[in-house]
Amino acid sequence: MEQPRTQRESARQESARQESARRIGPYRLITRLDPPRTALPCRRFVARTEDGEQTVLLSTPLPDADPARFAAEADAARFLLGPWIAPVTAVAGPGEAPWYASPYVPALPLPVALAVHGGPLPEATVRAVGATLAEALAAAHGQGLTHAGLSPAAVLLTADGPRLTCFGAVRAASADGEPRTGLPGLDPGALAPEQAAGGRPRPPGDVFALGAVLAYAATGHTVPERDELPAALRPAIASCLARDPADRPTVAALMTALAPPTTHGTVLNSAGSLLAPGWLPGRVVAALARQSSELLAAELPEPART
């Protein structure tokens, strides 16, 4: 047991050193993406290469996380492909403290979007978020993968649709068979009961987490009373939050439940059809534009002189 503690302490010291130097891997940090005390299993930054040619969303483990487990999930995330998934395009090299990078687009974590909007999101926005994320999970499940990291903070809202991040957070937090309740970074409201007890993450756990995300988007918290949920969304969200995994819908069924029929009575066959102009509230759109302009104007600090 001594070696893992030593590794974690070394990773904590290295992480602190890197952040104080404002550099991780080949990137210089510009700003943190998430506000303090966000229930997120990693730290996320907007960063840029020294030449200014590439801007990325950079993720690093929490100080007390197991760096080897985080690195393994980061490497596996490179194979997670599909719509509405933030692709992992670069990872730390051998001997480096772990990190991974995704292409940057102006984005707000879902909790920040609710704060900007001033409360729960409109039903049309919740439907769009739910259907697109269900489509993303369907792509993952079709590859034999379980996302195992979905929570409100793992969802980024961009102008052209949500992006799903934090692949493997549940697996990275603790090995199968070990209770995962109370671990830093995991949102307890979005953690399926069987996963909290140490069970291996499986697709029904992703469905539970998606239900928690939609409950949060529609009410402001992940564990609402049933009557708090909007009536039109209540059956779909409540079914996702069933304690028994066998009682939860598949992501395909959830897509159908969340995508309203067209005027011709048919169900939309792509979640992207719900992302028509106006799908995001105006204040969220304005915040995305402000973030974009601020980052364009950001100047990297001068490299330290040696």
Side-chain angles (χ1 to χ4, degrees), residues 61-135:
L62 295 175
D64 291 326
D66 183 327
R69 204 175 272 137
F70 180 92
E73 293 300 329
D75 189 63
R78 294 185 298 165
F79 302 99
L80 187 66
L81 304 174
W84 325 118
I85 294 172
V88 172
T89 53
V91 299
E96 284 188 88
W99 56 264
Y100 65 86
S102 300
Y104 168 76
V105 293
L108 296 181
L110 185 58
V112 175
L114 263 71
V116 166
H117 180 61
L121 299 175
E123 180 184 327
T125 303
V126 177
R127 284 186 181 277
V129 169
T132 51
L133 293 182
E135 190 170 19

Side-chain angles (χ1 to χ4, degrees), residues 36-49:
R37 295 181 296 280
T38 298
L40 193 71
C42 60
R43 296 179 300 171
R44 298 187 297 198
F45 304 89
V46 180
R48 191 173 289 156
T49 51

